[in-house]
Amino acid sequence: MDDAAWVERDGVRALEVTPADRLRNETDPRVFDEAWRRVVKAVPEADSPGMRDQFVCHATFAADKDSWFLEPERPAVGYWKTVRAGCNPGDVLDVG
């Protein structure tokens, strides 16, 4: 991870994660685990239900996006339901 910070997008609080180049080209779950630990170390409040699933989903399926936006308001539905929802489960509007 290069950077992670809280932002507000259309009234929704989101953690904006800017992934490091290494993470963008990775498929090893251990690397995702280490990257998530770094996010939580930098932003402890990020460690809430569903956020890790959103993070891994973005790392796996949206690695080419400039930034990943993880919203704690999204429901924790499990990894595979998060994937089926395009990394954005629930009713929170994805504005990016």
Side-chain angles (χ1 to χ4, degrees), residues 30-75:
R30 294 172 298 185
V31 173
F32 297 158
D33 289 342
E34 177 58 29
W36 180 245
R37 278 192 290 277
R38 290 178 184 194
V39 168
V40 170
K41 184 176 181 181
V43 185
E45 195 178 349
D47 194 18
S48 64
M51 292 284 282
R52 183 185 180 283
D53 290 337
Q54 291 178 57
F55 177 82
V56 174
C57 185
H58 280 83
T60 304
F61 299 104
D64 60 333
K65 286 189 165 187
D66 290 338
S67 295
W68 306 336
F69 293 92
L70 316 177
E71 294 91 3
E73 289 185 36
R74 293 190 182 281

